[in-house]
């Protein structure tokens, strides 16, 4: 007979995480760090940072040294590609054998899905990622997802154009594209580096909860509905946006549960809720708060809700109400959801992801403000860019 632990072990999501370019590498670095921090060992069978800039790779801290791959050494000598995606694509193609080998040498047979992180506005991430996504699709049957960061408007038309063309290329290969918009997450008055660090936390927290929170707990706890890899895979298609909310149980209540007297902390309104209402309000908070990219959730065809945390705080009624509410606010999207029990956690965290989105206003303005270069090789008109984003309502030319 299958024990619940066995089922757990069997179904948990395992991602092959690849970061391309500087932003992609930094986001991967944080993803890996979160994984160590959460004490998970098995859920990331493959991590790989790919870059044409040697200093970016050296600046990483959590991605193991052997998982950092420098490409384009003969062409650009480790100096990056200077926001030129054509060169980014070229170096990835020239070094495609070493990328392929680096991926296949890692435990790809354990991977349920690939997840590529990149900044869309520069050259390496934006040019090399579509090449890597295509390569993965040619070799492996597992889905390939992308998490792309949109440049901020202030970076100008070159970056907007790079991002629009990279998205166009990615729509041809990737199974799903999650978008994070630097414009709405950037903090005013913060130095650029710490602003990136803060934003990267917002990029990673919800995704880590979806893609990497499901390690076997080994404790025999059975969640209300344990989420498995196929729930996640069946929930992501086309363009996606995601949100997050969390609650930490006060030490007062933790001590109360263990029969000890309380150290005091002010109770928050979420503390006062019963477990069903608490889960329900977390789902609402994740979906109705700021999302990774502004979108009209009524145009989503699917949504995924993942709650992870202490099994004692999980609640089926709250989850069912959350799912019913999501179905209502999306106007009838397919809703999947479940939980990842974390027996030693004092937190409850909830991620909601909307996919198959047809209305993401910033993508239209991205194309409008793009610098469209017409070189012989990159003859791309704005009309072609609009048409290449088939899920996005087009402005008639
Ligand atoms: N959210 C976030 N965005 C970043 C970060 N680093 C860079 N960006 C943004 O990502 C985009 C691409 O920049 P890079 O990642 O530096 O570009 P690259 O892929 O390394 O390519 P080249 O530097 O041109 O070789 C730009 O719009 C940056 O503003 C980061 O750590 N976090
Ligand atoms: Mg760079």
């Amino acid at each position: 007979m299958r024990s619940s632990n066995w089922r757990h072990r069997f179904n948990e999501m395992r991602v092959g995480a690849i970061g391309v370019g500087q932003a992609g590498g930094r986001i991967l670095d944080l993803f890996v760090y979160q994984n160590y921090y959460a004490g998970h060992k098995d859920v990331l069978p493959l991590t790989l940072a790919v870059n044409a800039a040697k200093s970016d790779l050296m600046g990483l801290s959590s991605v193991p040294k052997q998982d950092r791959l420098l490409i384009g050494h003969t062409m650009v000598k480790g100096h990056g590609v200077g926001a030129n995606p054509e060169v980014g694509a070229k170096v990835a193609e020239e070094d495609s054998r070493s990328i392929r080998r680096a991926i296949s040498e890692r435990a790809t047979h354990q991977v349920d899905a690939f997840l590529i992180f990149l900044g869309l506005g520069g050259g390496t991430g934006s040019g090399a990622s579509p090449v890597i996504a295509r390569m993965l699709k040619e070799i492996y049957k597992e889905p390939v997802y992308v998490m792309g960061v949109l440049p901020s408007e202030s970076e100008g038309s070159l970056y907007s154009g790079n991002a629009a063309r990279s998205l166009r290329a990615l729509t041809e290969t990737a199974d799903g594209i999650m978008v994070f918009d630097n414009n709405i997450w950037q903090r005013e008055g913060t130095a650029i580096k710490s602003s990136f660090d803060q934003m990267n936390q917002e990029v990673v927290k919800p995704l880590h909860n979806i893609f990497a929170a499901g390690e076997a707990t080994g404790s025999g706890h059975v969640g209300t509905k344990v989420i498995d890899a196929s729930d996640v895979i069946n929930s992501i298609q086309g363009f996606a946006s995601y949100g997050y909310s969390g609650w930490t149980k006060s030490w007062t209540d933790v001590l109360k549960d263990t029969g000890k007297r309380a150290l005091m902390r002010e109770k928050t309104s979420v503390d006062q809720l019963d477990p069903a209402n608490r889960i329900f309000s977390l789902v609402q908070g994740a979906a109705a708060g700021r999302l990774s990219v502004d979108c009209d959730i009524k145009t989503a065809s699917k949504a995924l809700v993942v709650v992870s945390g202490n099994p004692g705080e999980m609640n089926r009624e709250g989850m069912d109400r959350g799912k019913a509410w999501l179905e209502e606010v999306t106007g009838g999207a397919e809703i999947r959801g479940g939980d990842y029990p974390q027996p030693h956690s004092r937190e409850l965290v909830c991620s909601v992801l909307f996919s198959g989105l047809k209305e993401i206003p910033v993508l239209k303005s991205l194309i409008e403000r793009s610098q469209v270069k017409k070189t012989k090789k990159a003859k791309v008109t704005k009309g072609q860019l609009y048409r290449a984003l088939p899920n996005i309502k087009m402005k008639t030319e």
Side-chain angles (χ1 to χ4, degrees):
M1 214 180 91
R2 294 175 182 184
S3 74
S4 61
N5 280 344
W6 187 87
R7 207 180 80 84
H8 244 128
R9 210 170 282 281
F10 188 73
N11 288 331
E12 84 217 12
M13 182 89 191
R14 284 158 187 270
V15 287
I18 301 171
V20 190
Q22 178 165 34
R26 280 203 203 127
I27 292 165
L28 173 71
D29 209 45
L30 192 61
F31 197 80
V32 171
Y33 173 80
Q34 291 256 320
N35 212 52
Y36 290 142
Y37 185 75
H40 295 175
K41 290 174 235 64
D42 309 331
V43 290
L44 291 182
L46 178 153
T47 55
L48 188 67
V50 180
N51 209 321
K54 198 172 175 187
S55 57
D56 288 352
L57 288 176
M58 284 165 62
L60 302 176
S61 44
S62 299
V63 172
K65 291 227 164 54
Q66 69 273 17
D67 293 344
R68 305 177 192 178
L69 181 71
L70 182 69
I71 55 170
H73 190 65
T74 42
M75 268 182 85
V76 300
K77 314 234 171 332
H79 297 311
V81 304
N84 186 337
E86 283 171 48
V87 182
K90 196 154 182 218
V91 296
E93 260 149 20
E94 283 204 347
D95 280 346
S96 63
R97 287 180 61 185
S98 58
I99 301 173
R100 193 182 300 230
R101 190 167 352 100
I103 292 170
S104 68
E105 272 170 1
R106 287 160 178 79
T108 37
H109 61 281
Q110 293 177 2
V111 163
D112 293 307
F114 294 96
L115 180 56
I116 299 176
F117 300 111
L118 75 144
L120 291 157
T124 306
S126 133
S129 299
V131 174
I132 297 172
R134 190 173 1 99
M135 174 196 297
L136 291 170
K137 288 303 289 179
E138 281 166 9
I139 306 172
Y140 302 101
K141 61 180 196 321
E142 283 73 22
V144 175
Y145 303 123
V146 168
M147 199 301 303
V149 172
L150 292 179
S152 64
E153 236 180 288
S154 61
E155 287 178 294
S157 62
L158 171 66
Y159 278 64
S160 303
N162 288 348
R165 279 191 298 269
S166 184
L167 280 173
R168 171 189 192 241
L170 288 165
T171 53
E172 287 169 9
T173 46
D175 295 280
I177 303 177
M178 289 160 270
V179 182
F180 183 92
D181 186 3
N182 274 359
N183 284 293
I184 55 171
W185 287 92
Q186 209 148 20
R187 294 208 192 163
E188 301 274 321
T190 323
I192 192 87
K193 172 77 172 73
S194 64
S195 166
F196 280 155
D197 288 345
Q198 283 166 357
M199 283 194 288
N200 293 350
Q201 295 278 353
E202 310 292 347
V203 174
V204 166
K205 269 188 306 188
L207 290 185
H208 189 268
N209 190 38
I210 293 172
F211 286 100
E215 202 187 30
T217 61
S219 68
H221 285 288
V222 182
T224 47
K225 191 230 172 265
V226 175
I227 198 151
D228 63 35
S230 64
D231 289 319
V232 177
I233 288 167
N234 284 316
S235 296
I236 309 178
Q237 65 169 41
F239 283 93
S241 180
Y242 55 83
Y244 177 90
S245 68
W247 171 74
T248 306
K249 190 173 193 168
S250 74
W251 283 114
T252 315
D253 289 337
V254 174
L255 291 170
K256 224 187 252 158
D257 289 351
T258 61
K260 297 196 176 107
R261 276 198 73 78
L263 290 162
M264 300 312 266
R265 138 152 113 66
E266 288 283 312
K267 276 192 181 290
T268 66
S269 56
V270 182
D271 290 343
Q272 317 278 4
L273 296 173
D274 60 79
N277 277 320
R278 188 177 293 129
I279 298 279
F280 181 55
S281 80
L282 281 175
V283 175
Q284 285 190 314
R290 186 165 23 156
L291 297 178
S292 60
V293 63
D294 277 338
C295 61
D296 179 358
I297 60 171
K298 283 214 150 37
T299 68
S301 56
K302 298 180 174 199
L304 173 71
V305 52
V306 176
V307 175
S308 67
N310 198 293
E313 305 293 338
M314 301 291 182
N315 184 281
R316 167 150 248 158
E317 184 202 326
M319 185 60 129
D320 287 346
R321 272 170 51 204
K323 290 199 316 206
W325 177 80
L326 282 172
E327 190 170 332
E328 195 186 311
V329 293
T330 52
E334 271 176 38
I335 315 293
R336 289 183 179 78
D339 55 55
Y340 284 132
Q342 316 272 335
H344 305 295
S345 175
R346 197 161 69 88
E347 283 183 328
L348 268 182
V349 292
C350 174
S351 301
V352 173
L353 179 140
F354 298 100
S355 82
L357 291 164
K358 293 180 184 57
E359 187 68 48
I360 302 180
V362 71
L363 294 188
K364 282 188 225 167
S365 65
L366 185 82
I367 295 173
E368 265 146 39
R369 56 176 203 259
S370 290
Q371 184 186 90
V372 179
K373 247 194 328 185
K374 283 199 185 176
T375 62
K376 258 190 200 151
K377 274 196 187 146
K379 228 187 234 171
V380 180
T381 64
K382 288 193 183 182
Q384 283 171 314
L385 290 178
Y386 279 116
R387 283 190 290 278
L389 304 178
N391 289 330
I392 305 296
K393 271 188 202 150
M394 293 193 321
K395 176 178 154 257
T396 43
E397 266 188 287

